[in-house]
Amino acid sequence: MSIVFQRPHALIDKPLHYCPGCTHGIIHRLVAEVLDELGIEGTTVGVASVGCTYNSYEYFNCDMVQAAHGRAPAVATGIRRSLPDRTVFTYQGDGDLAAIGTAEIVHAATRGEKITTIFVNNAIYGMTSGQMAPTTLVGQVTTTTPFGRKPELHGYPVRVCELLSTLEGAVYVERVAVNNVQNIRKAKAAIKRAFQVQAAGLGFSIVEVLSICPTNWGMSPDKSLEWLRDNMIPHYPLGNFKNVALPGETPAADGSDK
Amino acid sequence: MKGNEVIAEAALRAGCRHYFGYPITPQTEVAHYMARKMEEIGGTFVQAESEVAAINMVYGAASAGVRAMTSSSSPGISLKQEGISYAAGAELPIVVIDIVRCGPGLGGILPAQCDYYQMVKGGGHGDYHNIVLAPQGVQEMYELVVDAFNLADKYRNPVVVMGDGYMGQMMEAVEFRDQEKIERPEKPWAACGSEMKRPHNTITSIYIEADVLEAHVRHMYEKYKAIEENEVRVDVQNCEGADVIIAAYGTCARVTKNVIKDAAKLGIKVGLIRPITLWPFPKKAFEQYAKVPKGFLTVEMSMGQMIDDVKLAVNGQNNVYFYGRTGGNVPGQKDILAEVVKIARGEGGDLR
Ligand SMILES: Cc1ncc(C[n+]2csc(CCOP(=O)(O)OP(=O)(O)O)c2C)c(N)n1
Ligand code: SF4
Ligand SMILES: [Mg+2]
């Protein structure tokens, strides 16, 4: 009998501490499956950030470094420049990456650092109990926008992929979601490609993953998935923003002329 | 050679191949030297987007197990404090150079010693210490920068080399050793890829449970005790039978050496205690001479920061006076002498 489904080796066998229904767990699994499939667990260093996943080093089986809030791309830069034959990824939330860490992510991308960023956009600060994030949608109620996000008071939600894809150093930029099986499969393919882009030394790669936070959105996981589909995807369109040919691919086949 | 270039050359000789910085006067020549050399020898030089990013790159590189450093000056150091605190908590060997300029705020670009508090007393959040080395000239700068890398690795702790703007800009002859004494312990803890040959390594400074964090901090303090026992460095001159003892480090200590000669002509014997390690502070040297007949005079290029440690070491057994200049001014030989004379004659002074 052959095993067709099992826990990836790169994901440690212990219960996740995330809230019931939280999609951080799915995203962890996708990253771990990719590390397994590419056979790079032993040559990868991950960088955990500050947010609900601050201790993702408890779950990923590769070497891990915990970074200060927003600084993961700078920490990853230091690691990657020191270990040129290793794979380095950051795992960051939207508060971490798009607020306090804006300078670090923009400049890591500008420099074309050969790192991969997994950017989990749940339109909220999860860990600190549901404050407005830069990605919070207009009208969305959070603990710091109790009457909904109003552009005249709180500004507009930032589209990170669109922003970063203007930078030459960012060579692979894709937005995915984990709200249904089809999208989860696409998310995995994107994450895998992002790591392959890094392995080929082509530059900075980022996958933005639209994710849910049932706890701070104040909805059931089911309702949250619907809310993501009906509200987040219209504002944050899924798809590839920038692509690059991997070794052996012809530019046309991979859509890098997009 | 210029002090700042000596810093860079010393770091290279100590085996540092990873430099991350952000331009700021008066230490920018360190970056200039590094940019050229690292490209020539295939090392890493990154001009970061900010001091915050630079120190976090150092944090990443040190996590990966290599010798890494950054250099800056006071306003930049304020920004680096977050990363220094994290490195202390994660027990990472990092080297930080601070070529101090005057503050607060943007202050000025002239030399000062007003970063004593932020480097010696923490600066970042939490219970931790930096090892802080204070050279008095270019030759010692070279030696202490090499030592800084050894100490950082030995204790897995941030080490700061703190000079003032004069020392960075000063041209002096420097004698490089043919072979630096480099002690490089194994780093089995580094996050450099497990090769699937060991359990995965984690570098972190977060411990959510009270007892676990307390145990971690207590472990750090055991290390600090060992550092206090083994690594104190101090230059004690002329203190036997002295009437007055001056406490000064860096440029102020250099000026004091001439004061000793001038005072002798007036029949006053002046001693000097020059801390080379600002942390661990050379308490014992002060305890030993605590009964000096006329008391201590602390001389600083600040409004008085190290004097707190002098007073703690003297522990109320004697008067501790202060003379300092700030804004980029340096205490002059004549002015210090005038203070010494007043104190020696019992005519007072700025008693703190
Ligand atoms: C310097 C600093 N400021 C603030 C915090 C508090 N803090 C912890 S997590 C967090 C927000 C994280 O939100 P996000 O990145 O969106 O991650 P999520 O929890 O939603 O996955 C904040 C503000 C901190 N730890 N450090
Ligand atoms: S607070 Fe939100 S993001 Fe954090 S674990 Fe819970 S559901 Fe997930
Ligand atoms: Mg979030």
Side-chain angles (χ1 to χ4, degrees), chain A residues 5-81:
Chain A
F5 188 79
Q6 63 184 340
R7 176 179 285 273
H9 189 273
L11 200 61
I12 296 169
D13 189 2
K14 65 160 86 159
L16 302 174
H17 73 281
Y18 306 119
C19 305
C22 177
T23 38
H24 267 309
I26 294 176
I27 304 164
H28 279 27
R29 182 177 172 106
L30 297 182
V31 172
E33 283 180 359
V34 166
L35 295 182
D36 274 15
E37 284 172 23
L38 298 176
I40 55 173
E41 181 196 313
T43 53
T44 293
V45 182
V47 183
S49 61
V50 175
C52 282
T53 59
Y54 76 89
N55 65 344
S56 58
Y57 52 76
E58 299 276 355
Y59 310 128
F60 288 119
N61 223 346
C62 56
D63 279 2
M64 294 290 294
V65 177
Q66 209 291 322
H69 199 18
R71 317 299 178 218
V75 172
T77 297
I79 299 170
R80 191 61 165 80
R81 297 285 186 122

Side-chain angles (χ1 to χ4, degrees), chain A residues 7-211:
Chain A
R7 176 179 285 273
H9 189 273
L11 200 61
I12 296 169
D13 189 2
K14 65 160 86 159
L16 302 174
H17 73 281
Y18 306 119
C19 305
C22 177
T23 38
H24 267 309
I26 294 176
I27 304 164
H28 279 27
R29 182 177 172 106
L30 297 182
V31 172
E33 283 180 359
V34 166
L35 295 182
D36 274 15
E37 284 172 23
L38 298 176
I40 55 173
E41 181 196 313
T43 53
T44 293
V45 182
V47 183
S49 61
V50 175
C52 282
T53 59
Y54 76 89
N55 65 344
S56 58
Y57 52 76
E58 299 276 355
Y59 310 128
F60 288 119
N61 223 346
C62 56
D63 279 2
M64 294 290 294
V65 177
Q66 209 291 322
H69 199 18
R71 317 299 178 218
V75 172
T77 297
I79 299 170
R80 191 61 165 80
R81 297 285 186 122
S82 307
L83 304 170
D85 62 340
R86 295 311 202 210
T87 299
V88 179
F89 74 91
T90 71
Y91 189 109
Q92 301 176 257
D94 43 0
D96 191 85
L97 181 142
I100 194 167
T102 310
E104 283 76 8
I105 194 68
V106 166
H107 286 277
T110 304
R111 289 189 303 269
E113 292 297 339
K114 296 172 188 68
I115 62 172
T116 297
T117 290
I118 309 300
F119 166 43
V120 179
N121 177 358
N122 56 11
I124 204 142
Y125 282 30
M127 175 144 194
T128 42
S129 67
Q131 296 84 6
M132 181 185 74
T135 45
T136 292
L137 298 176
V138 170
Q140 190 182 336
V141 172
T142 72
T143 49
T144 50
T145 53
F147 307 106
R149 183 174 190 165
K150 299 189 180 97
E152 64 277 20
L153 284 180
H154 313 111
Y156 295 90
V158 59
R159 292 184 181 94
V160 169
C161 283
E162 287 81 342
L163 193 78
L164 293 183
S165 60
T166 64
L167 303 170
E168 276 142 300
V171 297
Y172 181 74
V173 181
E174 180 140 342
R175 185 182 290 122
V176 298
V178 285
N179 61 318
N180 59 40
V181 175
Q182 197 190 7
N183 280 344
I184 290 171
R185 291 177 75 95
K186 284 187 192 158
K188 179 168 166 192
I191 291 169
K192 188 164 182 177
R193 190 168 181 89
F195 276 100
Q196 287 170 321
V197 164
Q198 177 182 168
L202 300 174
F204 176 79
S205 55
I206 181 168
V207 179
E208 173 175 344
V209 187
L210 303 186
S211 184

Side-chain angles (χ1 to χ4, degrees), chain B residues 119-342:
Chain B
M119 282 319 211
V120 177
K121 301 293 176 188
H125 56 286
D127 284 321
Y128 76 94
H129 286 291
N130 300 318
I131 297 174
V132 184
L133 308 174
Q136 64 164 348
V138 172
Q139 180 68 35
E140 199 177 41
M141 179 68 90
Y142 154 63
E143 283 156 15
L144 292 184
V145 169
V146 174
D147 290 349
F149 284 96
N150 292 335
L151 287 168
D153 277 346
K154 182 172 175 189
Y155 293 104
R156 288 186 60 183
N157 203 69
V159 179
V160 174
V161 181
M162 192 161 83
D164 58 61
Y166 277 110
M167 236 162 276
Q169 300 302 320
M170 186 190 289
M171 297 273 265
E172 272 185 338
V174 52
E175 204 179 313
F176 293 115
R177 283 189 215 107
D178 290 339
Q179 194 66 54
E180 268 69 27
K181 194 165 147 257
I182 293 172
E183 295 141 14
R184 300 189 84 150
E186 294 284 306
K187 298 181 178 177
W189 47 264
C192 53
S194 68
E195 301 271 5
M196 313 294 271
K197 288 181 188 142
R198 54 160 170 76
H200 81 283
N201 282 342
T202 298
I203 304 292
T204 187
S205 65
I206 184 165
Y207 300 89
I208 286 288
E209 285 168 45
D211 288 344
V212 180
L213 178 55
E214 186 175 66
H216 172 64
V217 173
R218 285 191 186 281
H219 150 75
M220 286 167 59
Y221 273 71
E222 284 300 312
K223 183 170 85 176
Y224 296 151
K225 216 159 86 187
I227 297 171
E228 284 186 293
E229 273 160 23
N230 301 320
E231 307 298 347
V232 169
R233 298 186 199 185
V234 60
D235 175 11
V236 176
Q237 290 186 23
N238 217 35
C239 285
E240 278 314 319
D243 302 301
V244 178
I245 292 177
I246 291 180
Y249 68 97
T251 293
C252 287
R254 282 173 80 109
V255 179
T256 297
K257 288 187 180 155
N258 294 323
V259 174
I260 293 176
K261 289 185 206 138
D262 296 347
K265 289 179 201 148
L266 302 174
I268 302 168
K269 184 165 182 192
V270 175
L272 169 66
I273 298 181
R274 176 175 76 91
I276 299 170
T277 49
L278 298 178
W279 195 88
F281 194 71
K283 290 180 205 151
K284 289 209 177 99
F286 288 95
E287 282 163 14
Q288 190 184 340
Y289 296 104
K291 297 269 161 54
V292 58
K294 302 291 181 183
F296 291 88
L297 172 64
T298 301
V299 180
E300 296 180 59
M301 285 148 67
S302 78
M303 295 304 286
Q305 300 193 7
M306 181 182 75
I307 190 171
D308 292 358
D309 283 328
V310 175
K311 288 185 72 174
L312 281 171
V314 172
N315 199 15
Q317 297 178 73
N318 212 328
N319 288 337
V320 179
Y321 299 89
F322 181 72
Y323 182 72
R325 296 293 303 275
T326 191
N329 291 311
V330 182
Q333 196 174 323
K334 284 194 187 124
D335 301 320
I336 301 172
L337 181 67
E339 291 301 309
V340 165
V341 170
K342 271 197 288 182

